[in-house]
mmCIF file of all heavy atoms in Angstrom:
data_model
loop_
_atom_site.group_PDB
_atom_site.id
_atom_site.type_symbol
_atom_site.label_atom_id
_atom_site.label_comp_id
_atom_site.label_asym_id
_atom_site.label_seq_id
_atom_site.Cartn_x
_atom_site.Cartn_y
_atom_site.Cartn_z
ATOM 1 N N ALA A 729 87.859 139.467 111.225
ATOM 2 C CA ALA A 729 87.855 139.136 112.688
ATOM 3 C C ALA A 729 86.726 138.202 113.052
ATOM 4 O O ALA A 729 86.941 137.303 113.883
ATOM 5 C CB ALA A 729 87.762 140.512 113.383
ATOM 6 N N GLU A 730 85.541 138.482 112.511
ATOM 7 C CA GLU A 730 84.391 137.623 112.800
ATOM 8 C C GLU A 730 84.670 136.205 112.289
ATOM 9 O O GLU A 730 84.391 135.184 113.050
ATOM 10 C CB GLU A 730 83.157 138.188 112.107
ATOM 11 C CG GLU A 730 81.953 137.326 112.175
ATOM 12 C CD GLU A 730 81.392 136.898 113.518
ATOM 13 O OE1 GLU A 730 81.871 137.520 114.518
ATOM 14 O OE2 GLU A 730 80.665 135.882 113.612
ATOM 15 N N LEU A 731 85.296 135.989 111.110
ATOM 16 C CA LEU A 731 85.646 134.670 110.586
ATOM 17 C C LEU A 731 86.631 133.953 111.555
ATOM 18 O O LEU A 731 86.524 132.771 111.804
ATOM 19 C CB LEU A 731 86.157 134.744 109.232
ATOM 20 C CG LEU A 731 85.144 135.006 108.112
ATOM 21 C CD1 LEU A 731 85.797 135.150 106.755
ATOM 22 C CD2 LEU A 731 84.052 133.996 108.041
ATOM 23 N N GLU A 732 87.642 134.744 112.067
ATOM 24 C CA GLU A 732 88.580 134.193 112.989
ATOM 25 C C GLU A 732 87.928 133.618 114.270
ATOM 26 O O GLU A 732 88.182 132.652 114.855
ATOM 27 C CB GLU A 732 89.629 135.153 113.257
ATOM 28 C CG GLU A 732 90.926 135.063 112.474
ATOM 29 C CD GLU A 732 91.285 133.671 112.155
ATOM 30 O OE1 GLU A 732 91.487 132.861 113.105
ATOM 31 O OE2 GLU A 732 91.323 133.246 110.938
ATOM 32 N N ARG A 733 86.881 134.454 114.757
ATOM 33 C CA ARG A 733 86.187 134.074 115.924
ATOM 34 C C ARG A 733 85.478 132.859 115.699
ATOM 35 O O ARG A 733 85.400 131.895 116.532
ATOM 36 C CB ARG A 733 85.212 135.226 116.338
ATOM 37 C CG ARG A 733 84.659 135.118 117.700
ATOM 38 C CD ARG A 733 83.550 136.266 117.996
ATOM 39 N NE ARG A 733 82.457 136.094 117.128
ATOM 40 C CZ ARG A 733 81.458 135.251 117.201
ATOM 41 N NH1 ARG A 733 81.496 134.383 118.277
ATOM 42 N NH2 ARG A 733 80.412 135.313 116.354
ATOM 43 N N ARG A 734 84.780 132.711 114.504
ATOM 44 C CA ARG A 734 84.029 131.454 114.168
ATOM 45 C C ARG A 734 85.064 130.340 114.089
ATOM 46 O O ARG A 734 84.688 129.211 114.501
ATOM 47 C CB ARG A 734 83.260 131.580 112.893
ATOM 48 C CG ARG A 734 82.066 132.613 112.995
ATOM 49 C CD ARG A 734 81.378 132.754 111.723
ATOM 50 N NE ARG A 734 80.408 133.840 111.635
ATOM 51 C CZ ARG A 734 79.737 134.146 110.598
ATOM 52 N NH1 ARG A 734 79.792 133.430 109.485
ATOM 53 N NH2 ARG A 734 78.893 135.167 110.655
ATOM 54 N N ARG A 735 86.207 130.597 113.390
ATOM 55 C CA ARG A 735 87.063 129.451 113.298
ATOM 56 C C ARG A 735 87.523 128.889 114.628
ATOM 57 O O ARG A 735 87.711 127.761 114.840
ATOM 58 C CB ARG A 735 88.368 129.930 112.471
ATOM 59 C CG ARG A 735 89.331 128.879 112.208
ATOM 60 C CD ARG A 735 90.507 129.401 111.255
ATOM 61 N NE ARG A 735 90.038 129.805 110.047
ATOM 62 C CZ ARG A 735 89.557 129.045 108.994
ATOM 63 N NH1 ARG A 735 89.484 127.795 109.193
ATOM 64 N NH2 ARG A 735 89.076 129.668 107.960
ATOM 65 N N ALA A 736 87.800 129.805 115.608
ATOM 66 C CA ALA A 736 88.242 129.369 116.927
ATOM 67 C C ALA A 736 87.150 128.468 117.539
ATOM 68 O O ALA A 736 87.466 127.547 118.343
ATOM 69 C CB ALA A 736 88.500 130.618 117.783
ATOM 70 N N GLN A 737 85.917 128.758 117.223
ATOM 71 C CA GLN A 737 84.799 127.983 117.896
ATOM 72 C C GLN A 737 84.551 126.657 117.104
ATOM 73 O O GLN A 737 83.785 125.821 117.600
ATOM 74 C CB GLN A 737 83.517 128.781 117.827
ATOM 75 C CG GLN A 737 83.504 129.921 118.784
ATOM 76 C CD GLN A 737 82.205 130.787 118.626
ATOM 77 O OE1 GLN A 737 81.527 130.674 117.720
ATOM 78 N NE2 GLN A 737 82.050 131.671 119.609
ATOM 79 N N TRP A 738 85.005 126.547 115.865
ATOM 80 C CA TRP A 738 84.658 125.414 114.985
ATOM 81 C C TRP A 738 85.155 124.133 115.593
ATOM 82 O O TRP A 738 86.365 124.117 116.077
ATOM 83 C CB TRP A 738 85.207 125.597 113.616
ATOM 84 C CG TRP A 738 84.944 124.422 112.731
ATOM 85 C CD1 TRP A 738 83.674 124.194 112.046
ATOM 86 C CD2 TRP A 738 85.758 123.434 112.324
ATOM 87 N NE1 TRP A 738 83.794 123.108 111.336
ATOM 88 C CE2 TRP A 738 85.091 122.574 111.455
ATOM 89 C CE3 TRP A 738 87.105 123.078 112.632
ATOM 90 C CZ2 TRP A 738 85.697 121.474 110.881
ATOM 91 C CZ3 TRP A 738 87.637 122.008 111.991
ATOM 92 C CH2 TRP A 738 86.932 121.166 111.172
ATOM 93 N N GLN A 739 84.466 123.164 115.675
ATOM 94 C CA GLN A 739 84.812 121.802 116.164
ATOM 95 C C GLN A 739 84.771 120.784 115.084
ATOM 96 O O GLN A 739 83.821 120.739 114.335
ATOM 97 C CB GLN A 739 83.959 121.347 117.265
ATOM 98 C CG GLN A 739 84.113 122.161 118.555
ATOM 99 C CD GLN A 739 83.429 121.606 119.807
ATOM 100 O OE1 GLN A 739 82.460 120.868 119.592
ATOM 101 N NE2 GLN A 739 83.899 121.816 120.896
ATOM 102 N N ALA A 740 85.927 120.085 114.847
ATOM 103 C CA ALA A 740 85.933 119.020 113.832
ATOM 104 C C ALA A 740 84.890 118.044 114.135
ATOM 105 O O ALA A 740 84.777 117.442 115.187
ATOM 106 C CB ALA A 740 87.334 118.450 113.785
ATOM 107 N N PRO A 741 84.173 117.577 113.109
ATOM 108 C CA PRO A 741 83.162 116.546 113.227
ATOM 109 C C PRO A 741 83.855 115.188 113.500
ATOM 110 O O PRO A 741 85.040 114.977 113.267
ATOM 111 C CB PRO A 741 82.396 116.375 111.942
ATOM 112 C CG PRO A 741 82.826 117.557 111.100
ATOM 113 C CD PRO A 741 84.215 118.074 111.618
ATOM 114 N N GLU A 742 83.175 114.237 114.034
ATOM 115 C CA GLU A 742 83.664 112.822 114.360
ATOM 116 C C GLU A 742 83.975 112.333 112.975
ATOM 117 O O GLU A 742 83.225 112.493 111.983
ATOM 118 C CB GLU A 742 82.508 112.085 114.885
ATOM 119 C CG GLU A 742 82.197 112.328 116.417
ATOM 120 C CD GLU A 742 83.447 111.815 117.197
ATOM 121 O OE1 GLU A 742 83.788 110.634 117.175
ATOM 122 O OE2 GLU A 742 84.116 112.688 117.835
ATOM 123 N N PRO A 743 85.070 111.519 112.843
ATOM 124 C CA PRO A 743 85.317 110.897 111.590
ATOM 125 C C PRO A 743 84.189 109.973 111.113
ATOM 126 O O PRO A 743 83.542 109.385 111.980
ATOM 127 C CB PRO A 743 86.588 109.929 111.915
ATOM 128 C CG PRO A 743 87.094 110.438 113.200
ATOM 129 C CD PRO A 743 85.973 111.184 113.929
ATOM 130 N N ARG A 744 84.009 109.853 109.849
ATOM 131 C CA ARG A 744 82.862 109.048 109.356
ATOM 132 C C ARG A 744 83.135 107.593 109.595
ATOM 133 O O ARG A 744 82.219 106.761 109.700
ATOM 134 C CB ARG A 744 82.680 109.300 107.812
ATOM 135 C CG ARG A 744 82.333 110.747 107.389
ATOM 136 C CD ARG A 744 80.767 111.011 107.749
ATOM 137 N NE ARG A 744 80.370 112.285 107.102
ATOM 138 C CZ ARG A 744 79.696 113.169 107.693
ATOM 139 N NH1 ARG A 744 79.222 113.013 108.953
ATOM 140 N NH2 ARG A 744 79.283 114.274 107.022
ATOM 141 N N TYR A 745 84.383 107.211 109.501
ATOM 142 C CA TYR A 745 84.833 105.781 109.646
ATOM 143 C C TYR A 745 85.940 105.612 110.614
ATOM 144 O O TYR A 745 86.829 106.403 110.625
ATOM 145 C CB TYR A 745 85.251 105.144 108.214
ATOM 146 C CG TYR A 745 84.213 105.221 107.149
ATOM 147 C CD1 TYR A 745 84.185 106.320 106.233
ATOM 148 C CD2 TYR A 745 83.299 104.264 106.975
ATOM 149 C CE1 TYR A 745 83.265 106.327 105.194
ATOM 150 C CE2 TYR A 745 82.366 104.313 105.869
ATOM 151 C CZ TYR A 745 82.341 105.321 105.084
ATOM 152 O OH TYR A 745 81.492 105.473 104.054
ATOM 153 N N ARG A 746 85.802 104.523 111.391
ATOM 154 C CA ARG A 746 87.041 104.198 112.258
ATOM 155 C C ARG A 746 87.798 102.976 111.765
ATOM 156 O O ARG A 746 88.904 102.751 112.265
ATOM 157 C CB ARG A 746 86.515 103.998 113.618
ATOM 158 C CG ARG A 746 85.967 105.309 114.255
ATOM 159 C CD ARG A 746 86.109 105.373 115.752
ATOM 160 N NE ARG A 746 85.562 106.653 116.207
ATOM 161 C CZ ARG A 746 86.339 107.750 116.342
ATOM 162 N NH1 ARG A 746 87.621 107.707 116.025
ATOM 163 N NH2 ARG A 746 85.833 108.943 116.780
ATOM 164 N N ARG A 747 87.239 102.264 110.900
ATOM 165 C CA ARG A 747 87.895 101.007 110.357
ATOM 166 C C ARG A 747 87.587 100.874 108.877
ATOM 167 O O ARG A 747 86.695 101.506 108.370
ATOM 168 C CB ARG A 747 87.520 99.805 111.217
ATOM 169 C CG ARG A 747 86.144 99.427 111.090
ATOM 170 C CD ARG A 747 85.929 97.918 111.498
ATOM 171 N NE ARG A 747 86.687 97.045 110.825
ATOM 172 C CZ ARG A 747 86.290 96.522 109.655
ATOM 173 N NH1 ARG A 747 85.241 96.902 108.980
ATOM 174 N NH2 ARG A 747 87.088 95.667 108.977
ATOM 175 N N GLY A 748 88.252 99.884 108.370
ATOM 176 C CA GLY A 748 87.918 99.447 107.038
ATOM 177 C C GLY A 748 88.400 100.344 105.841
ATOM 178 O O GLY A 748 89.166 101.261 106.067
ATOM 179 N N TYR A 749 87.823 100.069 104.700
ATOM 180 C CA TYR A 749 88.271 100.932 103.522
ATOM 181 C C TYR A 749 87.924 102.393 103.783
ATOM 182 O O TYR A 749 88.714 103.289 103.387
ATOM 183 C CB TYR A 749 87.475 100.375 102.259
ATOM 184 C CG TYR A 749 87.752 101.270 101.070
ATOM 185 C CD1 TYR A 749 89.038 101.298 100.439
ATOM 186 C CD2 TYR A 749 86.835 102.120 100.670
ATOM 187 C CE1 TYR A 749 89.414 102.166 99.394
ATOM 188 C CE2 TYR A 749 87.128 103.007 99.506
ATOM 189 C CZ TYR A 749 88.367 102.987 98.929
ATOM 190 O OH TYR A 749 88.605 103.816 97.879
ATOM 191 N N GLY A 750 86.834 102.685 104.422
ATOM 192 C CA GLY A 750 86.505 104.073 104.651
ATOM 193 C C GLY A 750 87.505 104.823 105.415
ATOM 194 O O GLY A 750 87.786 106.053 105.169
ATOM 195 N N ALA A 751 88.202 104.114 106.387
ATOM 196 C CA ALA A 751 89.160 104.692 107.205
ATOM 197 C C ALA A 751 90.426 104.962 106.338
ATOM 198 O O ALA A 751 91.043 106.003 106.451
ATOM 199 C CB ALA A 751 89.459 103.875 108.371
ATOM 200 N N LEU A 752 90.720 104.034 105.562
ATOM 201 C CA LEU A 752 91.905 104.136 104.616
ATOM 202 C C LEU A 752 91.656 105.412 103.701
ATOM 203 O O LEU A 752 92.565 106.181 103.521
ATOM 204 C CB LEU A 752 92.006 102.878 103.796
ATOM 205 C CG LEU A 752 93.181 102.960 102.756
ATOM 206 C CD1 LEU A 752 94.451 102.596 103.436
ATOM 207 C CD2 LEU A 752 92.940 101.952 101.591
ATOM 208 N N PHE A 753 90.407 105.515 103.116
ATOM 209 C CA PHE A 753 90.073 106.614 102.294
ATOM 210 C C PHE A 753 90.324 107.885 102.990
ATOM 211 O O PHE A 753 90.949 108.865 102.480
ATOM 212 C CB PHE A 753 88.573 106.437 101.833
ATOM 213 C CG PHE A 753 88.124 107.483 100.945
ATOM 214 C CD1 PHE A 753 88.148 107.277 99.543
ATOM 215 C CD2 PHE A 753 87.496 108.576 101.423
ATOM 216 C CE1 PHE A 753 87.767 108.343 98.669
ATOM 217 C CE2 PHE A 753 86.997 109.631 100.527
ATOM 218 C CZ PHE A 753 87.172 109.375 99.200
ATOM 219 N N ALA A 754 89.736 107.950 104.268
ATOM 220 C CA ALA A 754 89.825 109.248 104.984
ATOM 221 C C ALA A 754 91.225 109.601 105.316
ATOM 222 O O ALA A 754 91.622 110.800 105.228
ATOM 223 C CB ALA A 754 89.048 109.170 106.308
ATOM 224 N N GLN A 755 92.089 108.657 105.491
ATOM 225 C CA GLN A 755 93.551 108.909 105.815
ATOM 226 C C GLN A 755 94.303 109.480 104.578
ATOM 227 O O GLN A 755 95.223 110.264 104.824
ATOM 228 C CB GLN A 755 94.164 107.590 106.276
ATOM 229 C CG GLN A 755 94.551 107.543 107.653
ATOM 230 C CD GLN A 755 94.977 106.215 108.059
ATOM 231 O OE1 GLN A 755 95.388 105.323 107.203
ATOM 232 N NE2 GLN A 755 94.923 105.814 109.317
ATOM 233 N N HIS A 756 93.940 109.087 103.455
ATOM 234 C CA HIS A 756 94.836 109.333 102.284
ATOM 235 C C HIS A 756 94.256 110.232 101.202
ATOM 236 O O HIS A 756 94.989 110.655 100.285
ATOM 237 C CB HIS A 756 95.315 108.019 101.690
ATOM 238 C CG HIS A 756 96.087 107.160 102.754
ATOM 239 N ND1 HIS A 756 97.381 107.544 103.022
ATOM 240 C CD2 HIS A 756 95.828 106.048 103.371
ATOM 241 C CE1 HIS A 756 97.876 106.678 103.936
ATOM 242 N NE2 HIS A 756 96.962 105.758 104.144
ATOM 243 N N VAL A 757 92.838 110.403 101.282
ATOM 244 C CA VAL A 757 92.336 111.114 100.066
ATOM 245 C C VAL A 757 92.759 112.576 100.026
ATOM 246 O O VAL A 757 92.928 113.260 101.094
ATOM 247 C CB VAL A 757 90.724 111.073 100.069
ATOM 248 C CG1 VAL A 757 90.176 111.875 101.136
ATOM 249 C CG2 VAL A 757 90.209 111.289 98.769
ATOM 250 N N THR A 758 93.052 113.106 98.818
ATOM 251 C CA THR A 758 93.357 114.529 98.656
ATOM 252 C C THR A 758 92.040 115.301 98.373
ATOM 253 O O THR A 758 91.042 114.672 98.133
ATOM 254 C CB THR A 758 94.358 114.698 97.494
ATOM 255 O OG1 THR A 758 93.744 114.188 96.290
ATOM 256 C CG2 THR A 758 95.619 113.908 97.767
ATOM 257 N N GLN A 759 92.157 116.563 98.385
ATOM 258 C CA GLN A 759 91.003 117.492 98.191
ATOM 259 C C GLN A 759 90.738 117.521 96.715
ATOM 260 O O GLN A 759 91.438 117.072 95.795
ATOM 261 C CB GLN A 759 91.185 118.896 98.753
ATOM 262 C CG GLN A 759 91.287 118.856 100.257
ATOM 263 C CD GLN A 759 89.868 118.673 100.826
ATOM 264 O OE1 GLN A 759 89.017 119.520 100.724
ATOM 265 N NE2 GLN A 759 89.598 117.466 101.452
ATOM 266 N N ALA A 760 89.509 118.133 96.320
ATOM 267 C CA ALA A 760 89.084 118.172 95.015
ATOM 268 C C ALA A 760 90.050 118.764 94.033
ATOM 269 O O ALA A 760 90.158 118.307 92.865
ATOM 270 C CB ALA A 760 87.749 118.953 94.902
ATOM 271 N N ASN A 761 90.715 119.870 94.514
ATOM 272 C CA ASN A 761 91.643 120.498 93.585
ATOM 273 C C ASN A 761 92.849 119.645 93.256
ATOM 274 O O ASN A 761 93.671 119.994 92.358
ATOM 275 C CB ASN A 761 92.069 121.876 94.169
ATOM 276 C CG ASN A 761 92.646 121.737 95.535
ATOM 277 O OD1 ASN A 761 92.017 121.271 96.447
ATOM 278 N ND2 ASN A 761 93.859 122.204 95.659
ATOM 279 N N ASP A 762 93.087 118.492 94.016
ATOM 280 C CA ASP A 762 94.115 117.657 93.743
ATOM 281 C C ASP A 762 93.681 116.311 93.119
ATOM 282 O O ASP A 762 94.400 115.367 92.976
ATOM 283 C CB ASP A 762 94.958 117.357 94.974
ATOM 284 C CG ASP A 762 95.883 118.594 95.317
ATOM 285 O OD1 ASP A 762 96.309 119.212 94.370
ATOM 286 O OD2 ASP A 762 96.013 118.937 96.483
ATOM 287 N N GLY A 763 92.390 116.191 92.835
ATOM 288 C CA GLY A 763 91.924 115.042 92.167
ATOM 289 C C GLY A 763 91.267 113.925 93.042
ATOM 290 O O GLY A 763 90.842 112.898 92.537
ATOM 291 N N CYS A 764 91.234 114.138 94.355
ATOM 292 C CA CYS A 764 90.754 113.121 95.300
ATOM 293 C C CYS A 764 91.357 111.780 95.125
ATOM 294 O O CYS A 764 90.699 110.708 95.423
ATOM 295 C CB CYS A 764 89.233 112.968 95.135
ATOM 296 S SG CYS A 764 88.312 114.458 95.553
ATOM 297 N N ASP A 765 92.610 111.617 94.669
ATOM 298 C CA ASP A 765 93.387 110.431 94.663
ATOM 299 C C ASP A 765 93.968 110.167 96.113
ATOM 300 O O ASP A 765 93.830 110.954 96.931
ATOM 301 C CB ASP A 765 94.399 110.457 93.612
ATOM 302 C CG ASP A 765 94.913 109.018 93.183
ATOM 303 O OD1 ASP A 765 94.322 108.059 93.725
ATOM 304 O OD2 ASP A 765 95.796 108.937 92.336
ATOM 305 N N PHE A 766 94.490 109.003 96.342
ATOM 306 C CA PHE A 766 95.227 108.724 97.492
ATOM 307 C C PHE A 766 96.646 109.264 97.204
ATOM 308 O O PHE A 766 97.276 108.837 96.153
ATOM 309 C CB PHE A 766 95.280 107.318 97.734
ATOM 310 C CG PHE A 766 93.944 106.741 98.242
ATOM 311 C CD1 PHE A 766 93.728 105.389 98.202
ATOM 312 C CD2 PHE A 766 92.924 107.545 98.609
ATOM 313 C CE1 PHE A 766 92.547 104.812 98.580
ATOM 314 C CE2 PHE A 766 91.590 106.962 98.946
ATOM 315 C CZ PHE A 766 91.505 105.657 98.925
ATOM 316 N N ALA A 767 97.184 110.005 98.097
ATOM 317 C CA ALA A 767 98.552 110.583 97.759
ATOM 318 C C ALA A 767 99.504 109.510 97.546
ATOM 319 O O ALA A 767 100.370 109.653 96.713
ATOM 320 C CB ALA A 767 98.957 111.388 99.083
ATOM 321 N N PHE A 768 99.400 108.404 98.232
ATOM 322 C CA PHE A 768 100.461 107.282 98.027
ATOM 323 C C PHE A 768 100.310 106.681 96.731
ATOM 324 O O PHE A 768 101.219 105.915 96.196
ATOM 325 C CB PHE A 768 100.458 106.285 99.201
ATOM 326 C CG PHE A 768 99.247 105.377 99.285
ATOM 327 C CD1 PHE A 768 99.223 104.190 98.582
ATOM 328 C CD2 PHE A 768 98.103 105.751 99.933
ATOM 329 C CE1 PHE A 768 98.095 103.374 98.643
ATOM 330 C CE2 PHE A 768 96.964 104.905 100.084
ATOM 331 C CZ PHE A 768 97.035 103.699 99.405
ATOM 332 N N LEU A 769 99.169 106.770 96.009
ATOM 333 C CA LEU A 769 98.884 106.139 94.683
ATOM 334 C C LEU A 769 99.486 107.051 93.582
ATOM 335 O O LEU A 769 99.813 106.650 92.581
ATOM 336 C CB LEU A 769 97.483 105.748 94.569
ATOM 337 C CG LEU A 769 96.934 104.640 95.368
ATOM 338 C CD1 LEU A 769 95.436 104.406 95.165
ATOM 339 C CD2 LEU A 769 97.690 103.292 95.047
ATOM 340 N N ALA A 770 99.295 108.407 93.904
ATOM 341 C CA ALA A 770 99.844 109.347 92.930
ATOM 342 C C ALA A 770 101.387 109.435 92.934
ATOM 343 O O ALA A 770 101.999 109.971 91.991
ATOM 344 C CB ALA A 770 99.261 110.727 93.187
ATOM 345 N N ASP A 771 101.987 108.766 93.941
ATOM 346 C CA ASP A 771 103.479 108.866 94.006
ATOM 347 C C ASP A 771 104.123 108.165 92.799
ATOM 348 O O ASP A 771 103.481 107.187 92.262
ATOM 349 C CB ASP A 771 103.805 108.026 95.261
ATOM 350 C CG ASP A 771 105.238 108.136 95.683
ATOM 351 O OD1 ASP A 771 106.100 107.734 94.834
ATOM 352 O OD2 ASP A 771 105.561 108.526 96.701
ATOM 353 N N GLN A 772 105.193 108.744 92.298
ATOM 354 C CA GLN A 772 105.752 108.206 90.986
ATOM 355 C C GLN A 772 106.859 107.259 91.230
ATOM 356 O O GLN A 772 107.586 106.818 90.265
ATOM 357 C CB GLN A 772 106.253 109.422 90.213
ATOM 358 C CG GLN A 772 105.142 110.347 89.660
ATOM 359 C CD GLN A 772 104.202 109.534 88.713
ATOM 360 O OE1 GLN A 772 104.643 108.958 87.700
ATOM 361 N NE2 GLN A 772 102.925 109.460 89.044
ATOM 362 N N SER A 773 107.121 106.852 92.445
ATOM 363 C CA SER A 773 108.131 105.766 92.652
ATOM 364 C C SER A 773 107.825 104.534 91.960
ATOM 365 O O SER A 773 106.680 104.162 91.817
ATOM 366 C CB SER A 773 108.304 105.464 94.137
ATOM 367 O OG SER A 773 108.165 106.525 94.985
ATOM 368 N N ALA A 774 108.861 103.827 91.561
ATOM 369 C CA ALA A 774 108.698 102.519 90.807
ATOM 370 C C ALA A 774 108.253 101.548 91.894
ATOM 371 O O ALA A 774 108.779 101.494 93.027
ATOM 372 C CB ALA A 774 109.945 102.177 90.070
ATOM 373 N N VAL A 775 107.411 100.546 91.468
ATOM 374 C CA VAL A 775 107.077 99.442 92.339
ATOM 375 C C VAL A 775 107.826 98.203 91.747
ATOM 376 O O VAL A 775 107.710 97.979 90.537
ATOM 377 C CB VAL A 775 105.503 99.167 92.348
ATOM 378 C CG1 VAL A 775 105.174 97.955 93.220
ATOM 379 C CG2 VAL A 775 104.834 100.478 93.008
ATOM 380 N N PRO A 776 108.449 97.418 92.466
ATOM 381 C CA PRO A 776 109.192 96.273 91.877
ATOM 382 C C PRO A 776 108.271 95.169 91.360
ATOM 383 O O PRO A 776 107.146 94.988 91.902
ATOM 384 C CB PRO A 776 110.003 95.653 93.000
ATOM 385 C CG PRO A 776 109.441 96.236 94.296
ATOM 386 C CD PRO A 776 108.726 97.498 94.017
#
Side-chain angles (χ1 to χ4, degrees):
E730 169 60 14
L731 285 180
E732 265 323 300
R733 195 184 62 77
R734 292 182 192 177
R735 183 174 303 287
Q737 286 174 349
W738 181 79
Q739 290 191 330
E742 284 291 299
R744 300 280 193 224
Y745 300 95
R746 295 210 175 270
R747 64 164 301 280
Y749 174 73
L752 178 83
F753 181 91
Q755 247 171 21
H756 297 286
V757 73
T758 59
Q759 289 288 291
N761 56 304
D762 286 323
C764 297
D765 199 1
F766 294 161
F768 70 90
L769 291 176
D771 190 298
Q772 291 299 301
S773 319
V775 178

